[in-house]
Amino acid sequence: MNKATKRGYSLYFLIFAFLAGVGILIYSFIIHGQTWATNRANKHIYNSGQIAAAGTIYDRNGELLAKTVDSVRKFSEDQTVRKATLHVVGDSAGFISTGIHSVYKSQLTGYSLIDGVYKLKEYGMGNDIKLTIDAQACKAAYKALGSYKGTIGVLNYKSGEILCMVSTPTYDPENTPDDIDNEEKYEGVYLNRFISGVYTPGSTFKIITAASAIENIPDIFSRIFTCEGKHKTPYGEIKCRSVHGKVNFEEALNESCNSAFAQIAIELGTERLTQTASFLGFNSASKLGSIVVAKSTFNVEKANDCDLGWAGIGQYTTLVNPIHMMLILGAVANGGECPEPYIVDS
């Protein structure tokens, strides 16, 4: 092979390597450009680690929840509203990872693939976001929770709009407590329990067991169950909160009879009950817009009859996310279907 040919191949290789590098750079820019532009090191957006330049966040009625004033992020004028909507809006430092400030920061800062954050730099403002929540409803829910650690949510099951989302404990984002990272009362304060929490469903799971029974037991509506305050199995017993005597399927659901639903779950068996739970979204990932929601789990693979009876009434190892259970009940109320939930209106 002569020198000219070798040089030609070398040149082709260099051209190919160059084009491949450009291709990788363009791909990386498209995929990661948003993350790069909204990084905390970008002083056009952040000031001392706090988001400083971004659009305004409103509730469904136009009530202001967060805005930028003189390069400082300000929240609602109502302290109770600030606390009640903290986990939805998010803090300015981004500790609440599921808040609008964190998940929708590229939209708030006006980032685009072509201009980056040029508009933010040029005009000092990003895009405004209008949420579906009602700030005053959140305020009422927050007051109702009192000193409890928990969550309250309200769904419009016809439209999919989240009207209320409150999680406690919380704090005032304009007056962050000095002991927030050390005091027990603030434990889990950065967690939005409505989105990221999972709980033992208890008797609310009987809706799933009932749906499975209707689907798989042809004569379920004519069945009579006997409740003596408990249901015995070879592996233990499932207790009921009352002695309901003889009840049909509808009465068992109305009375929330553990004995009857334990019997139903055992008759259904692990396969059919799991099939219904999976069909209704258990063990599957989901999102609320761009926000990742905690996965509800149902696993009875190794359950004996007693375990299965407990699983049928929402105990055993079953865990459910509040949004997920709310959507299931919304579907029941809406004739079997529920629209995709969302919290960002526009």
Side-chain angles (χ1 to χ4, degrees):
M1 188 182 292
N2 58 43
K3 290 184 179 181
T5 303
K6 288 182 179 180
R7 289 173 180 172
Y9 281 128
S10 298
L11 184 59
Y12 283 134
F13 175 77
L14 290 173
I15 292 171
F16 174 80
F18 174 76
L19 292 175
V22 171
I24 292 171
L25 180 62
I26 293 172
Y27 174 80
S28 298
F29 179 74
I30 293 172
I31 299 298
H32 303 294
Q34 174 180 315
T35 304
W36 297 338
T38 56
N39 188 279
R40 291 181 184 278
N42 190 337
K43 294 183 179 181
H44 297 307
I45 300 175
Y46 290 94
N47 180 13
S48 300
Q50 307 278 322
I51 191 168
T56 303
I57 303 173
Y58 300 96
D59 84 338
R60 65 182 299 108
N61 301 309
E63 184 171 341
L64 189 144
L65 300 178
K67 67 176 180 178
T68 295
V69 179
D70 296 329
S71 298
V72 176
R73 205 67 177 153
K74 295 291 184 180
F75 296 80
S76 168
E77 293 182 356
D78 186 323
Q79 184 188 53
T80 307
V81 169
R82 292 200 297 267
K83 291 181 177 181
T85 60
L86 171 68
H87 289 90
V88 181
V89 174
D91 62 306
S92 55
F95 292 126
I96 300 173
S97 61
T98 56
I100 297 298
H101 275 133
S102 293
V103 180
Y104 289 89
K105 61 184 176 183
S106 62
Q107 289 87 341
L108 278 171
T109 56
Y111 170 82
S112 74
L113 189 62
I114 304 300
D115 296 327
V117 290
Y118 173 79
K119 292 181 179 178
L120 185 70
K121 178 184 176 182
E122 186 73 11
Y123 305 112
M125 63 180 70
N127 294 320
D128 297 342
I129 289 182
K130 180 182 178 184
L131 304 179
T132 61
I133 64 160
D134 185 314
Q136 295 305 312
C138 290
K139 181 178 179 178
Y142 169 71
K143 288 181 176 180
L145 273 170
S147 60
Y148 287 106
K149 289 183 178 180
T151 183
I152 292 177
V154 179
L155 166 75
N156 181 339
Y157 62 87
K158 294 289 187 181
S159 66
E161 295 170 291
I162 302 293
L163 304 176
C164 172
M165 182 193 296
V166 176
S167 181
T168 55
T170 184
Y171 65 95
D172 182 352
E174 292 203 352
N175 298 283
T176 304
D178 295 330
D179 58 353
I180 192 168
D181 294 321
N182 304 311
E183 188 66 33
E184 185 179 350
K185 67 180 179 179
Y186 292 118
E187 185 180 359
V189 71
Y190 300 126
L191 178 76
N192 186 338
R193 295 168 188 263
F194 189 68
I195 289 172
S196 304
V198 287
Y199 301 90
T200 301
S203 289
T204 59
F205 191 84
K206 287 171 184 169
I207 293 289
I208 288 87
T209 306
S212 188
I214 293 169
E215 186 75 18
N216 295 292
I217 303 176
D219 63 342
I220 188 64
F221 288 103
S222 61
R223 292 282 190 90
I224 299 296
F225 303 91
T226 301
C227 172
E228 298 176 344
K230 58 188 174 183
H231 177 68
K232 294 182 179 179
T233 77
Y235 303 94
E237 62 182 30
I238 295 97
K239 295 182 179 180
C240 192
R241 61 183 178 83
S242 184
V243 178
H244 294 110
K246 293 187 180 296
V247 292
N248 61 28
F249 177 62
E250 186 176 347
E251 290 167 338
L253 184 58
N254 288 342
E255 297 293 331
S256 191
C257 178
N258 287 353
S259 296
F261 271 85
Q263 294 173 58
I264 292 169
I266 292 167
E267 180 176 346
L268 285 166
T270 59
E271 185 176 337
R272 290 188 292 187
L273 199 52
T274 299
Q275 186 178 34
T276 300
S278 297
F279 179 77
L280 293 175
F282 281 81
N283 305 320
S284 297
S286 63
K287 283 188 172 184
L288 176 63
S290 297
I291 305 170
V292 177
V293 176
K295 184 190 298 184
S296 299
T297 57
F298 182 81
N299 187 341
V300 290
E301 286 182 3
K302 298 180 180 179
N304 57 40
D305 280 0
C306 185
D307 296 332
L308 191 57
W310 281 115
I313 61 174
Q315 302 291 331
Y316 190 46
T317 61
T318 306
L319 294 172
V320 69
N321 170 264
I323 293 179
H324 181 206
M325 183 55 74
M326 189 168 65
L327 291 173
I328 291 173
L329 297 176
V332 173
N334 200 35
E337 296 183 7
C338 189
E340 285 289 320
Y342 65 99
I343 194 164
V344 173
D345 179 73
S346 59

